[in-house]
Amino acid sequence: MLEQVMRLVREVAAREVMPRFLHVGKSRKDDGTLFTEADLACQQALQGGLPAILPHPVLGEEMEREEQDALWEANRDGLWVVDPIDGTTNFVNGLPYFAISVGLMVAGKSELGVIYNPVSDEMFYARRGLGAWLNGHRLPLKTINNCIGDAIASVEVKYLRSGKLAARIGSVAPCGSQRNMGSSTLDWCFLAAGRYDLYLHGGQRLWDYAAGAVIAEEAGARLASLNTDDYWSDVIWKRSVVAAITPELFSQWHHWVRANQ
């Protein structure tokens, strides 16, 4: 099944997404976020292809909220969750950091994740209990240094509710350096690969974490949220992230974030 999903995602990227890269106009949804013809075409193609692999409905970012709510409530036994282009702002501005994301969720928890950057041809994927991979290479890609002072953190402060935490992240964070490149799904993958050591995000939508969280977990990452240490029990539609690629780094990062909220 995992191979079939990867093949479908690669085909949809080649047919619907990359021909429109640098050649598509943008629009804004009611909430102010960007979307394009490529987002809609990609989502439609995945809606057609994924149920043929495993017969569950598809919840996509570009659906109306009422439809998303109904799909989530009615399909606890299995639901595909799709972000057709995560990093649409990057996509429309020619920045090669965006991805197609497909997750399979059962009983509120991700069981399978596939995330593909078609520009770099990097396919990240995992199935719960079977490890995480990038183009056939087991993740993480390197031995991790557990010194938090040397760590690279992916940090998105925009949605942090605590002004104190946002201010201290910018001034006295314990990590070596910080990055934010505009695609939550790829941030998860870079954490899983060991390209990032730490992760902090103030609030992600379901499609931002449905695939990425299981890829990170299967690579050995530890996860919590700003609200609870049980990441998978937190709110569905806007879930924060506190994560690290090793248990040792997580203990240090988690303690610092909690102390500075």
Side-chain angles (χ1 to χ4, degrees):
M1 179 175 61
L2 187 56
E3 291 289 339
Q4 291 174 286
V5 176
M6 291 161 57
R7 185 163 54 250
L8 173 64
V9 168
R10 195 181 296 274
E11 290 171 354
V12 171
R15 186 175 70 247
E16 305 294 354
V17 177
M18 290 310 293
R20 294 178 167 94
F21 185 40
L22 304 177
H23 302 285
V24 69
K26 62 185 178 182
S27 302
R28 289 194 181 272
K29 294 181 279 190
D30 291 342
D31 64 2
T33 57
L34 289 177
F35 74 99
T36 70
E37 176 187 284
D39 293 86
L40 298 175
C42 180
Q43 180 170 290
Q44 185 176 28
L46 293 171
Q47 281 181 270
L50 288 169
I53 297 171
L54 196 65
H56 296 302
V58 178
L59 184 157
E61 180 186 8
E62 306 309 330
M63 293 175 175
E64 294 295 328
R65 180 58 189 270
E66 292 77 10
E67 185 177 3
Q68 293 168 348
D69 285 337
L71 284 166
W72 179 260
E73 292 299 327
N75 294 283
R76 300 281 292 174
D77 60 335
L79 182 67
W80 295 107
V81 178
V82 168
D83 195 336
I85 300 178
D86 179 48
T88 301
T89 299
N90 289 344
F91 180 78
V92 300
N93 286 285
L95 298 172
Y97 194 80
F98 58 87
I100 300 169
S101 175
V102 174
L104 177 64
M105 301 193 73
V106 179
K109 194 170 185 178
S110 299
E111 297 296 326
L112 175 152
V114 172
I115 296 174
Y116 180 52
N117 181 342
V119 177
S120 63
D121 193 29
E122 289 190 317
M123 181 77 75
F124 298 87
Y125 50 98
R127 191 166 182 180
R128 189 165 295 281
L130 298 178
W133 307 81
L134 165 59
N135 293 351
H137 300 283
R138 187 76 180 253
L139 299 178
L141 298 174
K142 62 184 180 69
T143 302
I144 307 300
N145 178 357
N146 282 308
C147 175
I148 197 168
D150 296 329
I152 297 176
S154 174
V155 177
E156 170 58 88
V157 299
K158 181 178 180 181
Y159 302 106
L160 291 176
R161 297 189 307 274
S162 166
K164 175 186 174 183
L165 180 57
R168 292 184 69 79
I169 280 287
S171 59
V172 293
C175 53
S177 61
Q178 300 177 25
R179 303 287 186 275
N180 180 260
M181 298 172 69
S183 170
S184 294
T185 59
L186 286 177
D187 291 345
W188 282 111
C189 293
F190 276 36
L191 178 70
R195 295 170 179 173
Y196 296 148
D197 304 294
L198 314 172
Y199 194 21
L200 177 66
H201 196 294
Q204 296 183 340
R205 302 299 186 183
L206 175 62
W207 40 86
D208 293 321
Y209 65 80
V214 68
I215 293 172
E217 279 193 313
E218 285 298 308
R222 298 293 184 270
L223 320 179
S225 78
L226 292 170
N227 303 317
T228 175
D229 292 346
D230 181 4
Y231 176 79
W232 293 104
S233 72
D234 203 3
V235 295
I236 296 163
W237 298 108
K238 195 173 183 182
R239 180 173 294 178
S240 57
V241 183
V242 181
I245 186 56
T246 67
E248 294 83 2
L249 283 170
F250 178 77
S251 177
Q252 299 170 73
W253 183 231
H254 181 260
H255 176 78
W256 187 89
V257 170
R258 285 278 187 266
N260 285 277
Q261 281 186 265

